[in-house]
Amino acid sequence: MAEKTDFEPNIVAFLCNWCSYAGADLAGTSRIQYPSNVRVIRVMCSGRVNPLFVMNALQQGADGVLISGCHPGDCHYMQGNYYARRRFNLMRNFLEYLGVEPQRVRMSWVSASEGAKWKEVIEEVVNGVKEVGPMDQFKRRQLNW
């Protein structure tokens, strides 16, 4: 149990350029404090996030993954976030089948004016991943050449 209390997870966040990335940027410029466990990858649309990106992040050592995009109906590319939502639901079912806890992979909608919501989402993701502990089942073996 001591391992889980001291555990600080690595979270990879795929953020839509137009809404969620701008929301995270607003949180930063507004000096809203949120956990620093997140590494952001900016994508043009949440619909652009391939499920293999998520699998690769988990294999490379991420303990959790967040996909965040525009609110439904606000997508800059009209339907990208709808594609992302469908793809995410399928991927999450598959990951649960493989034994990955649902707290590890999350999806959220954050607009450019929601810096405070960005903070709440990050705190929820970090606390959810802390509950389930480190992710070791997909991590690639480190080869000792």
Side-chain angles (χ1 to χ4, degrees):
M1 274 309 203
E3 181 181 320
K4 284 187 178 180
T5 56
D6 298 337
F7 169 62
E8 287 298 326
N10 294 318
I11 309 292
V12 173
F14 295 97
L15 305 183
C16 149
N17 178 59
W18 305 102
C19 288
S20 297
Y21 187 84
D25 192 39
L26 177 65
T29 56
S30 302
R31 300 186 184 268
I32 296 173
Q33 299 288 318
Y34 61 88
S36 60
N37 307 58
V38 178
R39 302 297 174 257
V40 172
I41 297 176
R42 188 181 192 176
V43 294
M44 290 309 289
C45 179
S46 59
R48 178 66 184 85
V49 178
N50 186 320
L52 291 177
F53 297 171
V54 175
M55 294 296 291
N56 196 27
L58 294 173
Q59 286 181 321
Q60 297 292 330
D63 299 302
V65 176
L66 170 67
I67 301 167
S68 188
C70 304
H71 287 276
D74 290 343
C75 180
H76 192 77
Y77 301 102
M78 307 303 273
Q79 298 178 337
N81 52 7
Y82 293 122
Y83 293 136
R85 183 169 59 190
R86 280 186 228 137
R87 197 175 293 142
F88 174 78
N89 286 330
L90 290 171
M91 179 182 59
R92 188 162 71 178
N93 290 338
F94 180 67
L95 289 173
E96 281 185 53
Y97 175 76
L98 294 176
V100 176
E101 299 89 351
Q103 295 96 326
R104 294 195 185 280
V105 183
R106 297 262 325 260
M107 182 164 204
S108 70
W109 313 119
V110 176
S111 77
S113 63
E114 295 179 320
K117 183 177 178 183
W118 171 252
K119 173 191 176 192
E120 292 171 14
V121 167
I122 294 304
E123 288 175 345
E124 287 174 17
V125 170
V126 169
N127 290 333
V129 173
K130 278 184 177 179
E131 284 178 16
V132 295
M135 171 77 175
D136 293 326
Q137 60 194 119
F138 285 166
K139 201 174 278 184
R140 289 185 181 148
R141 280 188 296 153
Q142 297 292 322
L143 298 177
N144 192 8
W145 295 94

